[in-house]
Amino acid sequence: MSNTTQTINEQDPKSVTNKRYLPLLLVNYGFLFIGSLSSSLLSKYYFNHKGSSRWVSTWVQSAGFPLLIIPIVVPYYLFKSTQRKPFTGFTPKILALSIFIGFMLGVNNLLFSWGNSYLPVSTSSLLLSSQLVFNLILSVIIVKQKITFMNLNCVILLTLSSVLLALESSNDEPHDVTKTKYFIGYLATIGAGLLFALYLPIMEKVYKKVYCYAMVMEMQMVMEVAATVLASIGMVFDGGFTEMKREGYQVFDKGEKVYWATVVSNVVSWQLCFMGTAGMVFLTCSLTGGICMTALLMMNVVGGVVVYKEEFGGVKVVSTVMCGWGFCSYVYGMYVKNKMLKDRDDGGGGGHDSDDKNVGSYNPIEMTQIVNSSSSSSSPPLHIGV
């Protein structure tokens, strides 16, 4: 491999040869881990202590978008670690796509809140893993994801864990929830999973035209603003803002201070979750992001049992073990694949396969400097758009 190509790979944030790739990947997975676990438990805590507004629960999932200003502006204005100004290359087409996807995310948030208000955390978490098989199918259609033994084995194991839960779900109904509400929660949770399965490959398709992590956060901020606008409209028509004040003063049985602490904690935890999801899809692929999220649902199951003393019978034990087994096998396969790619690059091998997400678009500023320094080759300009 030529020195020019190797230098470009080292500058590419999605290349395994880039020294920043693994730390950035681990940070995003950490955000996803903390955000997924805490947001699920906090949402259930809100409903367990007489919080009743599904619009409030929906609104807090996206209202923390101002927190995204930190990763957007700090690297340029404070650390001076990048030459790219925030929102550079943010075309009208990208803006329109981000707004549309944001509205779709807002509907997904509402479905999740609806399901979480009626179902136990453990049941809701395991049901959401059913999105994985649809994620695989849609990834094949939208981003031409190749089906391999590694990803197919993982999808089958994680999906079977959901099927086992569904067969036993009738014995897991909360005492204060009617069968009708339980059924509504069941369908809403499945709907949220299916919509999220569509969201992930669409994001991967869009991110293929994105050349830096900061731009991912900028798109995520626009999406969250759109989702917040949708939730705010629902709040206004349903009296949600007035209800939020009344809940804090009169309804929430843990007191006003705990109520607002719960709301703020929900806002922060959901932003960590969505930041981690966006970063995982950008750095890997939509299927890997979906698998990581599904595997984290196993921790949500354990969290529901530990925190809320939910029932953890034989079916949930088997489902959790299968979930962990599928995820670990997939991670090991990814480790072997990335190691082979890195060894091939270090050994001077050829280019990457077209389906490898470790290779993506390059920073045009850095790429131009690299190519200009080489007298033997030239490249056409990169266009930032979708």
Side-chain angles (χ1 to χ4, degrees):
M1 183 168 56
S2 65
N3 291 334
T4 300
T5 305
Q6 184 174 4
T7 305
I8 290 174
N9 279 341
E10 290 173 354
Q11 298 290 351
D12 176 20
K14 293 177 280 188
S15 172
V16 294
T17 59
N18 190 323
K19 294 180 179 179
R20 297 181 180 180
Y21 174 80
L22 184 58
L24 188 59
L25 184 66
L26 293 176
V27 167
N28 278 275
Y29 192 74
F31 285 161
L32 181 58
F33 177 86
I34 296 172
S36 176
L37 179 60
S38 59
S39 61
S40 178
L41 294 176
L42 286 168
S43 295
K44 192 62 182 179
Y45 182 84
Y46 167 79
F47 287 112
N48 281 352
H49 294 285
K50 298 185 178 180
S52 59
S53 176
R54 293 170 189 85
W55 280 113
V56 171
S57 181
T58 302
W59 185 78
V60 299
Q61 293 181 51
S62 56
F65 65 85
L67 295 174
L68 294 174
I69 295 176
I70 297 174
I72 291 174
V73 305
V74 167
Y76 179 78
Y77 290 104
L78 185 61
F79 295 147
K80 308 293 183 182
S81 58
T82 178
Q83 298 178 4
R84 177 187 176 275
K85 291 184 178 180
F87 292 95
T88 299
F90 209 87
T91 64
K93 197 170 185 178
I94 291 181
L95 177 62
L97 276 172
S98 300
I99 293 174
F100 171 76
I101 297 171
F103 285 140
M104 186 174 70
L105 189 62
V107 175
N108 178 82
N109 293 344
L110 178 60
L111 289 174
F112 176 84
S113 298
W114 203 281
N116 206 37
S117 64
Y118 291 142
L119 300 179
V121 171
S122 53
T123 302
S124 176
S125 298
L126 288 172
L127 280 177
L128 286 172
S129 65
S130 64
Q131 58 89 18
L132 200 54
V133 65
F134 295 98
N135 187 356
L136 177 60
I137 294 172
L138 292 171
S139 293
V140 171
I141 296 172
I142 297 175
V143 296
K144 311 303 180 185
Q145 171 75 45
K146 288 185 177 180
I147 298 179
T148 64
F149 173 78
M150 179 179 67
N151 56 39
L152 187 59
N153 174 66
C154 181
V155 169
I156 290 174
L157 286 172
L158 294 180
T159 303
L160 282 177
S161 70
S162 298
V163 173
L164 285 174
L165 177 71
L167 295 175
E168 191 70 13
S169 61
S170 60
N171 298 325
D172 196 30
E173 298 177 16
H175 297 297
D176 56 342
V177 174
T178 65
K179 288 186 177 181
T180 300
K181 290 182 177 180
Y182 188 86
F183 183 70
I184 292 174
Y186 195 94
L187 291 181
T189 303
I190 292 293
L194 295 180
L195 196 57
F196 202 75
L198 176 62
Y199 164 80
L200 291 176
I202 288 178
M203 288 312 305
E204 180 180 353
K205 185 80 171 180
V206 175
Y207 286 161
K208 285 185 176 181
K209 303 296 183 179
V210 174
Y211 57 85
C212 64
Y213 182 77
M215 196 170 185
V216 173
M217 293 296 103
E218 291 162 5
M219 293 182 64
Q220 189 65 30
M221 183 174 180
V222 174
M223 293 176 203
E224 298 292 342
V225 170
T228 303
V229 169
L230 181 64
S232 298
I233 293 173
M235 292 269 284
V236 169
F237 280 98
D238 196 42
F241 290 107
T242 304
E243 178 68 15
M244 185 183 288
K245 293 181 180 180
R246 190 182 71 83
E247 278 187 344
Y249 283 118
Q250 303 174 5
V251 179
F252 200 72
D253 60 13
K254 290 294 183 179
E256 183 182 359
K257 291 183 179 179
V258 176
Y259 176 82
W260 290 110
T262 302
V263 170
V264 173
S265 299
N266 254 306
V267 168
V268 175
S269 63
W270 275 112
Q271 278 310 303
L272 289 177
C273 183
F274 284 124
M275 283 177 64
T277 302
M280 289 294 294
V281 173
F282 173 68
L283 294 169
T284 57
C285 67
S286 58
L287 183 60
T288 300
I291 287 174
C292 289
M293 289 196 67
T294 303
L296 282 178
L297 295 177
M298 174 180 63
M299 297 303 301
N300 291 354
V301 173
V302 176
V305 172
V306 173
V307 177
Y308 299 121
K309 310 302 180 184
E310 293 177 356
E311 185 179 332
F312 194 65
V315 172
K316 286 185 179 179
V317 171
V318 173
S319 296
T320 303
V321 170
M322 291 180 68
C323 189
W325 177 17
F327 177 69
C328 290
S329 64
Y330 185 82
V331 169
Y332 177 74
M334 287 295 295
Y335 166 77
V336 173
K337 180 180 178 181
N338 287 340
K339 189 174 186 300
M340 291 175 61
L341 287 172
K342 188 173 182 180
D343 291 343
R344 186 174 64 183
D345 285 346
D346 293 340
H352 301 292
D353 296 335
S354 60
D355 64 322
D356 290 332
K357 187 63 191 283
N358 292 315
V359 178
S361 304
Y362 309 121
N363 186 318
I365 298 175
E366 295 167 340
M367 186 176 182
T368 302
Q369 294 172 346
I370 296 166
V371 174
N372 287 342
S373 66
S374 174
S375 60
S376 61
S377 63
S378 62
S379 301
L382 271 175
H383 297 283
I384 308 305
V386 179

